[in-house]
Amino acid sequence: MIKKLILPLILVLLSYGFWAMPQLKEILAGVAIFLFGMLALEDGFKSFTGGVLERLLKRTTNKLWKSLSFGVLTTTLMQSSSLVTIITISFLSAGLLPLMQGVGIIFGANLGTTTGAWLVAAFGLKVKISAYAMPLLVFGVILVFQKLKTLKGVGYLLAGIGFLFLGIHYMKEGFETFQSSIVLSDYMADGIAGLLIFTLLGMAATVVMQSSHATLVLIITALAAGQITYYNALALAIGANVGTTITAIIGALGANIEGKRLAAAHLVFNLVTGITALVLIVPLANLVDGIAETVGIGEQNYTLKLALFHTLFNALGIALMLPFIKALCRGLEHYLRTDERRESVSLPLSSPDRRREQVKPLYLKKAVLNNPDTALKSMIMETHHLFDNVYGVIARGLMLDRSVVESDKDLNSQLESPVSKDAFCDIDELYQRYIQPVYSELFTFAATAQPEMNSAQSKELFAIKATARDLVNAVKDIKHLQKNLRQYLVSDNVHIRQQYGEIRSQIAFLLRRLYFIRHDSLAQEDNDAELVISQLRMTLEKNDVISNDALDELIRHRELTPRMTSSLMNDSHYCRSISKNLIDTVEVLMTAGSGGEGVLSRELALAPDEVEALLASEQSETEAGDNG
């Protein structure tokens, strides 16, 4: 209810402000144009994704000093520490960055915000910046309407910079008009109370505008117009810095535990920096005066001094926090623990399945949708999660102990143990709990993420969706296969019992091989894993009961009844289908997200009718997934 009332309340207050003080219109219009420019910049930078940002992150954030530099540089280019923070949270949520590197980027982003203050203080108030804004807007808007994505992205960048310049111009003009109507200095408080009041005002302004850059521009223009004193401006700048943490916290609401830890680190850093700056505001101001005199900044040039102060106290915060960054990360990992458990389908064989809460996707978080790279990475990781659940359901459907399958223990002894008819599990129940929720969310998430993806990313996304479909088909096949396993594994006919034992054994040993391929693939050469998969495919062909003439022999010697024969033929097909789908899935997941050809070859290997069938069934699969 409170959230619903916030927007109407803001609109009512703004309307009253426009009526009571018409001079506010130009200032607030400048703020709105400035923020719109930031949105255009964000859209422009999003146009240049497609794996580039991910590769850049891997190369430039593998060391702490590189992470700091990356934060400074990207914030300088994008002119938005909030945007850099949100992007970093999305990459951290997708597993593309470790926590320490993410914290380093956040520290650097805080220092990077100072470049905007320098640009505005040095140039924005001394030249007619609107003269530069107009050509940028013209060229930008022309390029925005082009079909080529790169040109469109450049257009958004130019238009964004143009709107930023235009917003600064209107804020400057607005404060000059505002100066003749009301003098804010009449309402100022002295001493600590005044510092605290203006610090809170800086925080509030940043929370409302969701941009410390916009707040700093507002502070600098107000200072240049004489609306606030130098020390008031310093307190406002400190508050603006602390206020940016709200954006990080909001961005982390849709993130996983890593994103929440990063937001907490951002909060700790800005609070420590802000409190330190308030306590040391007089020594810092004196240091600014000394540096200003040394580098030739005029004694009355308070706008440049404010930019210098902003740089100094952010640098001081980094210097204070940097030695404790490892301890900070350890503390966050200790106190902010995940409640997202990866449940394995490995219930005791002797106990019936109890209906418990459905599992939830682990990686499909709203925060990762900010960037196509992170969205695709999250889908790949969620498909791994889906594979783990399908793997467990198949093991349970065959009445195998998953811990034995995934170990070096003798698997034959478990396969040769007597199986009771009452020991089989309810596949439908396991599907509803472990498979359907993840599968449905995977397709819904893909539909949301795909419009922002380029052609190569869309192809990889299609392959991942096809893989998820194959996994679900494997579960449906094990459901059909289990019906006859239940009957024929305890049959008096030794031949049919032996054939179904072979089917169960084939899938069991395939599960074991695939487990070791997935968990050892990082430790071995890629071509070794490919060789093992090729061998598995050959074994699959060799063991087919129809193609190897084993079934013909049984029929000729009248060892099987006609019903047994038809059942064995059908179930041999199910066995083959399960095995093929699992092998294909592992092959795709080994190369997905690496930029290699493996995942694309899976997509291109689909026959045209299969492609049409998948596209036609995606919507119905998503909507009707709860039917099993």
Side-chain angles (χ1 to χ4, degrees):
M1 181 61 71
I2 294 176
K3 289 182 179 179
K4 292 180 180 179
L5 292 175
I6 289 177
L7 180 59
L9 181 61
I10 291 175
L11 294 177
V12 169
L13 289 175
L14 285 174
S15 300
Y16 174 76
F18 292 150
W19 174 78
M21 289 181 288
Q23 300 85 355
L24 274 176
K25 287 187 289 188
E26 198 163 4
I27 298 173
L28 295 179
V31 173
I33 294 170
F34 187 91
L35 293 174
F36 188 79
M38 289 184 61
L39 292 176
L41 273 179
E42 180 178 344
D43 288 337
F45 279 107
K46 281 183 178 180
S47 300
F48 297 98
T49 57
V52 177
L53 192 53
E54 179 182 345
R55 291 192 293 272
L56 184 64
L57 276 172
K58 289 180 179 178
R59 293 175 184 174
T60 58
T61 61
N62 55 345
K63 294 184 179 179
L64 186 57
W65 69 269
K66 288 184 179 181
S67 299
L68 287 167
S69 303
F70 182 87
V72 173
L73 180 61
T74 51
T75 306
T76 300
L77 290 173
M78 298 183 186
Q79 285 299 293
S80 173
S81 61
S82 297
L83 176 58
V84 173
T85 299
I86 291 171
I87 290 175
T88 305
I89 286 174
S90 67
F91 273 84
L92 199 68
S93 297
L96 297 176
L97 278 178
L99 180 61
M100 188 175 295
Q101 271 65 42
V103 173
I105 292 174
I106 295 300
F107 285 9
N110 275 271
L111 188 59
T113 58
T114 63
T115 58
W118 279 103
L119 289 172
V120 176
F123 304 107
L125 302 178
K126 296 181 180 180
V127 297
K128 193 173 181 181
I129 201 167
S130 58
Y132 297 96
M134 300 306 177
L136 289 171
L137 287 172
V138 172
F139 289 120
V141 171
I142 290 173
L143 292 177
V144 163
F145 284 99
Q146 302 306 305
K147 292 183 178 179
L148 190 63
K149 190 174 182 179
T150 304
L151 290 177
K152 189 186 289 286
V154 173
Y156 276 116
L157 290 177
L158 293 177
I161 296 171
F163 281 120
L164 290 180
F165 286 177
L166 195 62
I168 292 169
H169 167 75
Y170 278 111
M171 280 188 274
K172 176 186 174 185
E173 295 292 321
F175 269 111
E176 289 176 355
T177 305
F178 194 63
Q179 187 177 15
S180 60
S181 303
I182 188 169
V183 181
L184 290 177
S185 57
D186 293 342
Y187 304 92
M188 296 175 189
D190 296 326
I192 296 176
L195 289 177
L196 293 176
I197 289 172
F198 278 89
T199 299
L200 292 174
L201 285 174
M203 291 174 60
T206 304
V207 169
V208 171
M209 294 187 286
Q210 289 292 290
S211 169
S212 60
H213 270 75
T215 306
L216 283 171
V217 171
L218 205 60
I219 294 168
I220 290 171
T221 50
L223 181 61
Q227 286 293 309
I228 54 177
T229 67
Y230 175 51
Y231 274 91
N232 294 147
L234 298 186
L236 284 168
I238 295 170
N241 230 50
V242 177
T244 57
T245 58
I246 304 300
T247 303
I249 292 170
I250 293 172
L253 292 178
N256 63 5
I257 191 64
E258 292 296 331
K260 291 178 173 62
R261 287 168 179 163
L262 185 67
H266 193 210
L267 177 63
V268 170
F269 173 80
N270 281 27
L271 284 176
V272 169
T273 303
I275 292 171
T276 303
L278 279 175
V279 171
L280 301 177
I281 191 168
V282 174
L284 282 173
N286 292 334
L287 180 60
V288 167
D289 291 337
I291 295 174
E293 185 178 354
T294 303
V295 299
I297 297 175
E299 185 178 351
Q300 302 300 316
N301 194 341
Y302 291 119
T303 54
L304 278 178
K305 283 186 174 182
L306 175 62
L308 179 58
F309 174 82
H310 193 242
T311 301
L312 281 178
F313 86 76
N314 272 288
L316 176 62
I318 293 174
L320 287 174
M321 294 297 297
L322 210 54
F324 305 102
I325 190 168
K326 290 184 179 179
L328 174 63
C329 291
R330 285 196 299 269
L332 292 172
E333 289 169 351
H334 176 73
Y335 289 106
L336 293 179
R337 296 180 180 178
T338 179
D339 57 354
E340 298 168 334
R341 299 180 299 277
R342 174 175 290 193
E343 295 188 68
S344 297
V345 190
S346 56
L347 300 175
L349 301 186
S350 58
S351 65
D353 294 332
R354 294 184 299 274
R355 292 189 178 274
R356 292 185 287 175
E357 186 179 354
Q358 291 181 327
V359 299
K360 296 178 181 179
L362 297 179
Y363 306 103
L364 304 181
K365 303 297 181 180
K366 185 179 178 181
V368 303
L369 288 170
N370 291 306
N371 185 279
D373 293 323
T374 59
L376 187 59
K377 178 70 174 180
S378 295
M379 284 199 66
I380 293 169
M381 295 169 68
E382 197 61 54
T383 307
H384 277 282
H385 179 211
L386 180 62
F387 180 89
D388 285 339
N389 289 349
V390 168
Y391 184 102
V393 169
I394 292 174
R396 289 285 286 113
L398 296 173
M399 291 314 299
L400 299 171
D401 188 333
R402 183 171 181 168
S403 63
V404 175
V405 176
E406 297 175 346
S407 69
D408 294 325
K409 296 178 181 178
D410 184 11
L411 190 54
N412 282 316
S413 61
Q414 183 179 182
L415 290 168
E416 293 168 0
S417 301
V419 177
S420 169
K421 283 185 177 182
D422 299 329
F424 288 89
C425 62
D426 185 344
I427 298 293
D428 282 331
E429 181 181 335
L430 293 179
Y431 176 86
Q432 293 292 337
R433 181 182 171 198
Y434 289 97
I435 310 301
Q436 188 271 334
V438 178
Y439 181 63
S440 297
E441 286 297 324
L442 198 62
F443 271 71
T444 303
F445 188 87
T448 306
Q450 190 165 3
E452 300 296 328
M453 293 184 175
N454 60 29
S455 177
Q457 290 169 329
S458 294
K459 287 182 178 180
E460 192 161 4
L461 179 65
F462 185 88
I464 292 299
K465 291 194 290 184
T467 299
R469 177 206 59 179
D470 290 344
L471 286 171
V472 170
N473 284 338
V475 175
K476 293 177 180 178
D477 288 338
I478 196 66
K479 175 184 174 182
H480 293 301
L481 178 59
Q482 189 199 49
K483 294 178 181 178
N484 287 328
L485 281 174
R486 184 194 299 267
Q487 178 180 353
Y488 292 126
L489 281 178
V490 294
S491 173
D492 294 332
N493 186 314
V494 65
H495 301 288
I496 195 68
R497 191 168 66 244
Q498 180 181 358
Q499 290 301 318
Y500 274 89
E502 282 294 323
I503 289 176
R504 184 168 175 248
S505 176
Q506 288 173 28
I507 301 176
F509 278 99
L510 175 65
L511 290 176
R512 171 169 283 187
R513 295 296 298 278
L514 292 179
Y515 174 82
F516 286 116
I517 288 174
R518 290 185 70 217
H519 290 80
D520 295 340
S521 59
L522 296 177
Q524 60 184 335
E525 295 295 330
D526 290 341
N527 56 358
D528 290 342
E530 292 176 7
L531 179 61
V532 174
I533 287 178
S534 297
Q535 291 172 345
L536 289 176
R537 293 191 189 280
M538 292 175 62
T539 303
L540 179 61
E541 296 293 335
K542 180 181 176 181
N543 290 337
D544 185 31
V545 70
I546 299 175
S547 61
N548 64 13
D549 296 329
L551 183 58
D552 290 339
E553 285 290 323
L554 292 171
I555 294 173
R556 278 195 295 269
H557 292 87
R558 301 181 181 276
E559 304 289 357
L560 303 178
T561 66
R563 182 180 177 183
M564 290 178 179
T565 302
S566 62
S567 296
L568 185 57
M569 290 177 64
N570 290 333
D571 292 333
S572 176
H573 168 74
Y574 290 135
C575 173
R576 180 185 176 86
S577 177
I578 293 167
S579 301
K580 183 180 181 301
N581 285 332
L582 292 179
I583 293 171
D584 287 345
T585 298
V586 169
E587 187 174 27
V588 169
L589 293 179
M590 282 172 56
T591 55
S594 64
E597 298 180 354
V599 67
L600 296 183
S601 67
R602 170 66 182 92
E603 185 265 334
L604 295 173
L606 291 170
D609 59 334
E610 289 184 297
V611 174
E612 292 178 5
L614 177 61
L615 290 173
S617 66
E618 280 182 3
Q619 184 64 32
S620 60
E621 286 276 10
T622 303
E623 294 176 353
D626 57 352
N627 293 328

